[in-house]
Amino acid sequence: MTTTTHTSSQTALNQLPQRRVTDAPTRMFHALFGLMFIVAYITADSEHWRNLHMAAGYTFAALLGFRLLYSLMGPQSLRLGVLWRKLALAPQWIRSFKTPLKTNWKQGQNIVMALCVVSVMLAALPLAVSGYVMFNELGPEWWLDGLEEAHELLGNWALLAVLGHVALLLLTSLLRAQNMARPMLTGTVDGTGPSLIKSNRVWLAVMLLVGAIGLFVYL
């Protein structure tokens, strides 16, 4: 009897209405972008892994290029303008601290999450360019030394943003008793209403994966 009840409950849970909020290319970008950053960061201080570090760094920047293009041509709800609009609400949200009972903490979570994501994206191109200049020694020694410090500072800043992103996901998942990372894992959330994404575009996600692997191996 208990087993039957448990099975029925699980079936009911699996049949909850779901909405698609993220497509496959965006989720693939998110996974590859994070992976390339981690590989680049942990190989940064080793001469032995220097080529691996450079390959991961250039692939990291190339993935950002894909995301910028997809922001222009992809679904409206996945465009980078959505992140900027969230950040634009930050001053208003901070002013709401004057009346804590009226502070929208969910909005604050969205703002901080957007800040973490934008911070990593803004760091990607300067990291790749400075890495290229240092690798090819394009400039006098004093310039390269300064660039190395800036490169390391940007890498640490991006790492803090990544860790902040993960920590916020874990915290909100615990507070809300639900997996807040689910949209980037399955592309869906529970709930009624229309899906924000009409097509999952699995084919584009596969192309992105193959392209990223090819670039990484080639470099």
Side-chain angles (χ1 to χ4, degrees):
M1 184 67 176
T2 303
T3 303
T4 303
T5 303
H6 175 73
T7 302
S8 301
S9 299
Q10 188 64 40
T11 301
L13 182 62
N14 293 336
Q15 292 177 347
L16 286 174
Q18 296 180 345
R19 300 184 303 122
R20 184 168 297 283
V21 295
T22 308
D23 62 9
T26 303
R27 303 199 311 275
M28 182 63 72
F29 159 79
H30 186 270
L32 292 172
F33 198 60
L35 177 61
M36 288 300 104
F37 174 76
I38 292 171
V39 172
Y41 191 88
I42 63 178
T43 56
D45 296 327
S46 172
E47 285 295 326
H48 180 72
W49 298 108
R50 187 179 186 186
N51 289 336
L52 182 61
H53 173 75
M54 298 300 294
Y58 292 151
T59 306
F60 179 66
L63 286 165
L64 175 64
F66 165 82
R67 186 65 181 89
L68 293 175
L69 287 175
Y70 197 59
S71 177
L72 298 175
M73 300 181 293
Q76 188 73 31
S77 62
L78 297 178
R79 297 189 177 183
L80 296 180
V82 175
L83 292 175
W84 293 113
R85 285 194 289 273
K86 289 179 180 178
L87 292 178
L89 296 173
Q92 175 187 344
W93 182 70
I94 292 173
R95 286 194 296 269
S96 73
F97 289 172
K98 296 178 182 179
T99 53
L101 294 178
K102 295 183 179 180
T103 299
N104 187 335
W105 295 105
K106 183 177 180 180
Q107 182 186 54
Q109 169 216 318
N110 292 334
I111 291 171
V112 176
M113 191 73 76
L115 178 61
C116 291
V117 173
V118 170
S119 294
V120 179
M121 287 185 172
L122 289 178
L125 185 58
L127 280 169
V129 172
S130 58
Y132 177 83
V133 172
M134 289 188 298
F135 182 76
N136 292 281
E137 299 182 348
L138 302 178
E141 186 174 348
W142 63 266
W143 160 253
L144 295 176
D145 289 342
L147 203 60
E148 183 177 3
E149 291 185 10
H151 186 81
E152 184 177 347
L153 183 64
L154 277 171
N156 289 332
W157 169 254
L159 177 64
L160 286 175
V162 170
L163 293 177
H165 178 68
V166 173
L168 189 58
L169 278 176
L170 290 174
L171 178 61
T172 52
S173 295
L174 289 173
L175 292 176
R176 299 184 188 183
Q178 63 184 40
N179 186 0
M180 299 302 294
R182 177 178 168 182
M184 278 301 170
L185 297 175
T186 66
T188 62
V189 295
D190 293 333
T192 57
S195 293
L196 299 179
I197 306 299
K198 303 303 180 184
S199 174
N200 198 24
R201 296 181 177 86
V202 175
W203 61 271
L204 184 56
V206 173
M207 288 181 63
L208 177 61
L209 176 61
V210 172
I213 292 175
L215 179 62
F216 181 79
V217 173
Y218 173 77
L219 292 172

